[in-house]
């Protein structure tokens, strides 16, 4: 299994923007799922956003209206546009895709599945200063 590879992390001031990119290990088919989760220092991993192969998206409440997930199947890439960043967004961000056979019940809206079952990369660090 080829793992995703993330890029685009960095340091910004509060209110700034960053775009994370990920090259997925495989094409995301119409009933497939991929997304992003993060882990802040001393905290558990949490799902941030997901996108199904048909384009349906789901966001954590903490990032709704600020983050946008998108995909480009021609390049097997997944992006996360992050605007209005806050210090609370500081974390290691991981790209994850569903395993062969998909998530349980092919449920892409359950962001926790990205953490529990997703095939993830090494992560990219995002640091937001106040």
């Amino acid at each position: 299994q080829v793992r995703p590879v993330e890029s685009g992390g960095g340091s910004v001031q509060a209110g700034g923007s960053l775009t994370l990119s990920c090259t997925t290990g495989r094409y995301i088919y119409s009933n497939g799922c991929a997304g992003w989760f993060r882990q802040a220092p001393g905290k558990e991993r949490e799902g941030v956003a997901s996108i199904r192969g048909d384009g349906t998206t789901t966001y954590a409440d903490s990032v709704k209206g600020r983050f946008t997930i998108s995909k480009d199947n021609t390049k097997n890439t997944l992006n996360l546009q992050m605007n209005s960043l806050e210090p609370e967004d500081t974390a290691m961000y991981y790209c994850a895709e569903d395993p062969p056979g998909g998530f349980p019940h092919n449920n892409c809206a359950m962001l926790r599945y990205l953490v529990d079952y997703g095939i993830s990369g090494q992560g990219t660090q995002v640091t937001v200063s106040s």
Side-chain angles (χ1 to χ4, degrees):
Q1 177 72 46
V2 177
R3 290 187 172 273
V5 177
E6 304 95 339
S7 62
S11 298
V12 295
Q13 291 192 326
S17 298
L18 278 174
T19 300
L20 306 183
S21 294
C22 165
T23 300
T24 59
R26 56 184 173 82
Y27 180 86
I28 305 300
Y29 290 93
S30 60
N31 63 346
C33 181
W36 296 86
F37 65 86
R38 66 188 180 185
Q39 185 168 26
K43 295 188 177 181
E44 291 188 355
R45 292 181 170 184
E46 64 167 345
V48 173
S50 68
I51 186 166
R52 286 180 61 91
D54 64 4
T56 304
T57 57
T58 301
Y59 297 92
D61 288 343
S62 58
V63 306
K64 277 180 183 176
R66 300 188 298 121
F67 290 12
T68 302
I69 188 171
S70 62
K71 65 181 179 66
D72 182 346
N73 278 341
T74 65
K75 301 177 182 178
N76 282 8
T77 58
L78 193 70
N79 296 314
L80 186 68
Q81 174 67 43
M82 306 185 295
N83 298 326
S84 303
L85 283 162
E86 303 167 352
E88 292 75 21
D89 295 316
T90 295
M92 185 71 80
Y93 283 73
Y94 299 86
C95 174
E97 53 191 283
D98 58 349
F103 289 137
H105 311 293
N106 279 325
N107 189 342
C108 194
M110 184 65 73
L111 295 177
R112 182 68 199 180
Y113 287 166
L114 294 168
V115 176
D116 292 342
Y117 304 106
I119 298 171
S120 59
Q122 295 295 315
T124 186
Q125 178 68 39
V126 172
T127 302
V128 185
S129 58
S130 57

